[in-house]
Amino acid sequence: QVQLVESGGGLVQAGGSLRLSCAGSQLTGNIYSMGWFRQAPGKEREFVSAIYWSGGTQYYADSAKGRFTISRDIAKTTVTLQMNSLKAEDTAVYYCAATFSSRSYNYPTSYDYWGQGTQVTVSS
């Protein structure tokens, strides 16, 4: 039913930039928030950024503040993560997620739908 597809991952040098996009389909209900999480090898999935769909309020993990920017296109049901000043520790698989509920935006368990993930590798 619901499908989220991420794109834009790749290999970049430290200090470089990437722009990740997530396109949603069959999200016919009222989206409460969409977010980005990442998971590095041997680590748990962690929160990166989220955006409230109705008001556009943006939220960031401390590791992302000042470097990443999240935005949305309501008409296209798309969320974008602009990643600047990338560091080696940003290397991970990045996942897009969506939820129709008002649960905490910064926990993976709050989200109902997930994309397949896109690999981001930052070389030092």
Side-chain angles (χ1 to χ4, degrees), residues 11-32:
L11 174 65
V12 297
Q13 292 182 287
S17 299
L18 282 175
R19 186 177 180 87
L20 306 182
S21 294
C22 173
S25 63
Q26 302 301 312
L27 288 171
T28 57
N30 294 322
I31 300 172
Y32 187 82

Side-chain angles (χ1 to χ4, degrees), residues 62-124:
D62 288 342
S63 60
K65 291 179 180 177
R67 300 189 299 126
F68 296 179
T69 303
I70 191 170
S71 61
R72 78 204 195 285
D73 187 328
I74 295 176
K76 297 181 179 179
T77 317
T78 299
V79 63
T80 299
L81 186 69
Q82 178 66 46
M83 307 165 67
N84 299 325
S85 302
L86 285 163
K87 306 173 181 179
E89 51 263 44
D90 294 318
T91 296
V93 176
Y94 283 70
Y95 296 91
C96 174
T99 182
F100 296 115
S101 73
S102 59
R103 290 175 289 180
S104 299
Y105 60 84
N106 57 332
Y107 290 95
T109 53
S110 297
Y111 291 82
D112 304 305
Y113 307 103
W114 294 85
Q116 80 288 347
T118 184
Q119 177 71 49
V120 171
T121 302
V122 184
S123 63
S124 58

Side-chain angles (χ1 to χ4, degrees), residues 11-61:
L11 174 65
V12 297
Q13 292 182 287
S17 299
L18 282 175
R19 186 177 180 87
L20 306 182
S21 294
C22 173
S25 63
Q26 302 301 312
L27 288 171
T28 57
N30 294 322
I31 300 172
Y32 187 82
S33 66
M34 293 188 70
W36 289 94
F37 291 77
R38 67 188 183 188
Q39 188 165 20
K43 300 183 68 176
E44 294 185 354
R45 193 166 298 187
E46 67 174 358
F47 169 74
V48 178
S49 183
I51 187 167
Y52 281 5
W53 212 247
S54 61
T57 305
Q58 303 166 57
Y59 299 92
Y60 300 95

